[in-house]
Amino acid sequence: MDVVKDPNGIRNQEFAQLVEQYQTSLRRMCYAILRDQELAKDAVQETFLKVYKAMDTFRGECSEKAWLMRIAVNTCRDIR
């Protein structure tokens, strides 16, 4: 994921693709950890906020999905 801050909105496009592709998987995983639908939704939203802020730091050492899942697990732990 080569993300650069630019006026053309490439970062926003890539972020929108991540949300579209992974939101359902993240919600399921967060629900499995938290056992509460509303908390799971909150955790997913918080995860995507963290991801958006940290997109420039993604080094590609793992898959995007693994990176997102790790952030989501840590977010769920914070919520619990």
Side-chain angles (χ1 to χ4, degrees):
M1 168 173 36
D2 296 325
V3 178
V4 243
K5 293 180 184 176
D6 75 332
N8 297 327
I10 291 174
R11 178 184 179 146
N12 290 338
Q13 291 171 1
E14 289 190 6
F15 178 72
Q17 289 173 348
L18 287 176
V19 171
E20 181 66 29
Q21 187 172 1
Y22 297 113
Q23 67 183 340
T24 302
S25 299
L26 288 176
R27 189 177 306 140
R28 286 181 185 149
M29 187 194 63
C30 289
Y31 177 75
I33 294 169
L34 298 169
R35 296 291 181 199
D36 182 286
Q37 284 291 348
E38 293 305 312
L39 287 178
K41 288 179 186 178
D42 290 345
V44 171
Q45 287 181 345
E46 183 67 27
T47 297
F48 280 122
L49 283 173
K50 291 176 182 180
V51 166
Y52 186 79
K53 292 176 184 177
M55 283 177 73
D56 294 336
T57 65
F58 180 67
R59 297 181 303 232
E61 295 174 355
C62 61
S63 70
E64 290 175 343
K65 185 174 183 177
W67 184 60
L68 290 166
M69 292 293 187
R70 175 51 45 203
I71 294 170
V73 166
N74 290 336
T75 301
C76 289
R77 287 179 180 165
D78 291 344
I79 289 174
R80 277 198 293 166

